[in-house]
Structure formats: C-alpha cells, structure tokens
Amino acid sequence: MSESPVPQEPPIYRRIADGLRARILSGELRDGDRLPGENALMAEHAIARATARQALAVLINEGLAVPKRGSGVYVRQFKPIRRHGSRRLSREHWGQGQAIWDADTRGRPFTVDGVEVARARASEATAAVLDSAEVWIRRRRYSVDARPVQLATSYFPADLVEGSAITLPDTGPGGVYARLRDLGLPPAHFTEEVRARMPQPGEAGLLELPAGTPVIAICRTAYTSGGLPVEYNEMVLDAASYVLQYDFDA
C-alpha cells in the first residue's frame, strides 16, 4: 500500500489570516477595531510586506475587514439582519402604523436618508409592470446600526397616488402601504424576484461596500385584492448584512 500524502502546511499569509480571523470571531477584536498593520505584521512574523498585505487581503475579501485609505484595515463585524419575506409585509405591521423595517431590525436603530421623490416618465419595463406611462418615484437608503445596508427605489402609477402623501418625503405612520390603504388600494398580494450579483459602482459607493462584496437584488410588485399593481420596488441589499428567511407549508 502506498503511504498517504502528508498534508501540506498552509502558506504563512494564510496562517496569519487564520489567527486574525479567530481573534475577530472570538470577540477579541470587535467591529471598528483596527487590525495590525503591514508594518506590525512584518515585525511580528518576520515576513515581507507583500506577505503581510496578502494576509490582510484574505480578511478583506471575506468581508470581515475593510480598508480605509490612509488609516489602515478595520474589523467589519456586523450582526446580520434577518429579513422575513412574508412577516415583514404583513398588514399587522403597516396597518397599525408600524414601519416594515421594525420587523427587520427588531429594536436595532435604523435610519432612512437620501430620500428623493419625483414624478417621471416610466421606463418601458416599469410601465409594463404597472400599466402606467407616468410614475411617482421614491428613492432612499436605509442604514442599520449606522451602517448602510439597502437601497430602494419604488414606483407608483402616477394617476393613482397623485396628491397623496406618497408623493411627499415623509409618508407618515405605516409608510406607503398605509397610504395606499387610505386611497382604497391596500396591498393584498406581493411577488418578489431575488438574485445575487456584483454591485454597480454607484451602488457600492452608497452602500460603502468593501471590494468583492456582492449584493442581493430584489424586485417586488404589490397588488390589490383585485390584481391591480400599485407598486414596483427595486431593492439592492448588502449581501454580507442579510439573512433571507422564507417559510413554506409542505
């Protein structure tokens, strides 16, 4: 019988990265802490600068660390948001004046910024979904624990929502779905399409994503009980910040 090959020891940069990762996952290094720099790693492990750079690059590519120009490399440890596909859209939330995001964040602080509201001509694809040539558009960015995690752009048939709070930056308690209910158009059914991709440059900038971080793209359409489409929403999520949960009956 031939002898089993002796497992090769991983390269030094991998061993250094493994040690730093263990310190992050154990809580010794916390979110926002500065990792040892290239000079410190060179001195501690007697390695070349290129090797130290490789070790840090491993953690950056894994999404556990983020480089800040002129400052260093910092831990990027973030408790994922559990996005429950059906529970967050329940009428129990927006019907009682609660934001959908209350279901996602479960008490964690969140903010909405970069809100833009405008009336415009619908793109061909959006017009086909909403059966409307003119739409009101709402763009915004969501941050949780002071970290940008999602971009969202909603489209509404212009004639249906004209003059309502949906055309204002602040839509009031319960958000746009509560305002659609006020118009006699409460959403009763939703469809979502989900896919993963790499971010566009503008998306990566707004979400402050480290290099190599993918995003989750979700397109959702809201319908009334009669099948009338009342909203088309395009969302871009930082994939490293989310767990998507869906419940099914057998």
Side-chain angles (χ1 to χ4, degrees):
M1 296 179 60
S2 60
E3 294 184 1
S4 300
V6 178
Q8 290 187 342
E9 190 174 7
I12 180 63
Y13 79 89
R14 281 283 180 186
R15 299 201 301 274
I16 295 171
D18 290 345
L20 291 172
R21 187 191 305 105
R23 294 174 63 187
I24 294 172
L25 298 180
S26 71
E28 178 185 347
L29 290 170
R30 299 180 179 275
D31 186 50
D33 286 351
R34 188 178 185 274
L35 291 175
E38 293 177 8
N39 290 337
L41 293 176
M42 291 165 61
E44 180 181 355
H45 300 281
I47 56 175
R49 183 175 301 278
T51 304
R53 190 169 298 156
Q54 280 182 297
L56 293 172
V58 170
L59 301 177
I60 292 170
N61 291 335
E62 290 177 356
L64 288 175
V66 59
K68 296 183 180 180
R69 187 180 298 275
S71 178
V73 178
Y74 292 81
V75 176
R76 189 178 191 267
Q77 189 79 333
F78 183 75
K79 180 183 177 182
I81 301 162
R82 185 167 294 274
R83 184 185 188 275
H84 194 286
S86 57
R87 188 180 302 155
R88 66 192 303 273
L89 296 174
S90 169
R91 191 174 303 188
E92 295 178 3
H93 285 286
W94 54 264
Q96 297 177 7
Q98 294 179 294
I100 289 175
W101 276 75
D102 289 331
D104 290 345
T105 57
R106 303 181 186 183
R108 296 165 68 182
F110 71 92
T111 57
V112 187
D113 64 12
V115 178
E116 300 177 6
V117 186
R119 178 166 176 157
R121 186 163 186 83
S123 68
E124 184 176 347
T126 303
V129 173
L130 295 177
D131 192 24
S132 178
E134 294 282 327
V135 291
W136 274 95
I137 306 172
R138 298 183 58 85
R139 293 187 176 91
R140 60 269 189 213
R141 180 178 70 167
Y142 295 91
S143 298
V144 175
D145 295 339
R147 175 170 294 168
V149 295
Q150 178 180 315
L151 308 175
T153 303
S154 293
Y155 305 86
F156 303 87
D159 291 343
L160 292 184
V161 303
E162 190 70 50
S164 73
I166 291 173
T167 66
L168 303 176
D170 185 355
T171 57
V176 295
Y177 295 148
R179 302 294 77 79
L180 286 168
R181 176 202 56 195
D182 296 343
L183 294 171
L185 301 167
H189 177 73
F190 299 91
T191 63
E192 285 192 345
E193 295 182 353
V194 182
R195 68 186 181 97
R197 59 173 173 81
M198 297 307 296
Q200 299 171 4
E203 296 168 343
L206 288 170
L207 291 173
E208 301 176 7
L209 298 177
T213 303
V215 294
I216 301 170
I218 302 177
C219 295
R220 181 176 69 230
T221 307
Y223 299 88
T224 66
S225 58
L228 179 68
V230 289
E231 181 209 30
Y232 178 62
N233 191 345
E234 296 177 329
M235 293 159 278
V236 179
L237 287 61
D238 172 7
S241 297
Y242 276 89
V243 172
L244 305 186
Q245 178 179 345
Y246 297 92
D247 296 331
F248 303 92
D249 292 329

